[in-house]
Amino acid sequence: QVHLEQSGAEMRKPGASVNVSCTASGYPFMNYGITWVRQAPGQGLEWMGWISAYNGDTNYAQKLQGRVTMTTDTSTATAYMTLRSLTSDDTAVYFCATTHYDTYTLDVWGQGTTVTVSS
Amino acid sequence: QSVLTQPPSVSGAPGQRVSISCTGSSSNIGAGYDVHWYQQLPGTAPKLLFDGSRNRPSGVPDRFSGSKSGTSASLDITGLQADDEADYYCQSYDRSLGGWVFGTGTKVSV
C-alpha cells in the first residue's frame, strides 16, 4: 500500500539548517506531488509548500519564501525539505503528504519528523 | 493567524450531530476553491476525511459529510461516537496568498 517514511528527529541550534526526507513506496512516485505541513507544539497545521514529483515545480508559503527549498529524487522516490536560518519558532513536527495534482487532496501522510531548535 | 476561521471547540453527546464551520473570504472559499477536511487524532498524523468534490476516502463512514456556501464551508458529523474525539481542520486555496491554507482547527469533544 501507499506509504511515506520520514527521517528521524533532529535537533538544531538557531541559525542552522535542517533537511527532512520523505521516502515513498507503493505507488509510481511521479503520479502525485508532495506537500509539506508543519505543526508547532499545541498549535494547528501550517501549509509550508508543495512540489510536483513529475516536473519539480514548487509553490512555497509566502512566509517561508527564501528559507525553504523542496526537492525530489525520482531515482529513490524521495522528497526533501530544507529549512534554513532556523529559529525557535521553527520547532515543530514536520509532515509530508501525497498530493493529487487535480484535487490537491493530501491523501497519505508520513509519520512526522520532530525538529527542535534550541541553543 | 489563518485566513480560514474555525470554532476552537464543539461538543456533543454520543449519537448527536455536530457541525464545524470554516469561514473564509472572497479570496479563498468565496472564489470557488474546493474545501477539504482532515481529522487528526491525538498524537497522530492528519487523515483526509472529505474532499471538496464531495468524496469520502474509502474507510471513512458516511456519518461525515461536507458542504459549502458562499464564503463558508462546514463539516457535519452525525451519530457522534467516542472515537470521533479529535481535531478537525479545513483546507482551501487562497489566491491572495498564492497557496493553500489550513483552518485554525476545531477540537471535537464527545
Side-chain angles (χ1 to χ4, degrees):
Chain A
Q1 75 277 26
V2 176
H3 181 74
L4 297 178
E5 184 68 26
Q6 297 185 224
S7 49
E10 304 271 13
M11 289 196 66
R12 292 287 185 273
K13 293 191 184 304
S17 298
V18 70
N19 185 35
V20 180
S21 68
C22 170
T23 300
S25 60
Y27 73 97
F29 183 63
M30 290 196 291
N31 281 15
Y32 296 92
I34 294 287
T35 291
W36 290 89
V37 174
R38 69 180 180 178
Q39 186 169 37
Q43 302 300 309
L45 303 176
E46 179 183 5
W47 183 82
M48 299 181 67
W50 167 91
I51 182 166
S52 165
Y54 178 73
N55 60 14
D57 282 351
T58 55
N59 184 10
Y60 301 139
Q62 283 184 2
K63 69 173 284 190
L64 296 175
Q65 290 271 3
R67 283 209 302 137
V68 68
T69 302
M70 296 174 188
T71 59
T72 59
D73 181 343
T74 55
S75 68
T76 59
T78 300
Y80 299 93
M81 186 283 300
T82 300
L83 190 60
R84 298 174 292 276
S85 303
L86 293 169
T87 72
S88 57
D89 289 342
D90 296 314
T91 294
V93 177
Y94 289 74
F95 296 101
C96 60
T98 61
T99 309
H100 271 274
Y101 291 122
D102 50 357
T103 63
Y104 204 81
T105 49
L106 309 185
D107 292 341
V108 176
W109 294 63
Q111 81 275 22
T113 296
T114 299
V115 174
T116 303
V117 183
S118 173
S119 54
Chain B
Q1 195 67 302
S2 175
V3 296
L4 300 179
T5 303
Q6 300 178 230
S9 63
V10 299
S11 63
Q16 283 189 332
R17 170 183 172 273
V18 296
S19 184
I20 301 169
S21 61
C22 174
T23 303
S25 68
S26 58
S27 181
N28 40 68
I29 300 174
Y33 295 109
D34 281 340
V35 179
H36 308 317
W37 289 91
Y38 299 86
Q39 176 194 59
Q40 186 178 31
L41 297 169
T44 69
K47 168 183 130 176
L48 177 64
L49 208 56
F50 195 84
D51 75 34
S53 302
R54 300 183 167 275
N55 295 320
R56 240 176 266 105
S58 112
V60 175
D62 59 8
R63 300 186 296 104
F64 295 90
S65 64
S67 62
K68 188 175 76 165
S69 178
T71 58
S72 294
S74 64
L75 176 74
D76 288 340
I77 310 174
T78 58
L80 203 58
Q81 298 179 2
D83 57 7
D84 294 335
E85 284 207 336
D87 293 324
Y88 293 82
Y89 295 90
C90 59
Q91 181 202 21
S92 187
Y93 185 84
D94 187 279
R95 61 185 177 194
S96 295
L97 294 173
W100 288 77
V101 290
F102 286 99
T104 49
T106 298
K107 182 174 185 59
V108 169
S109 300
V110 181

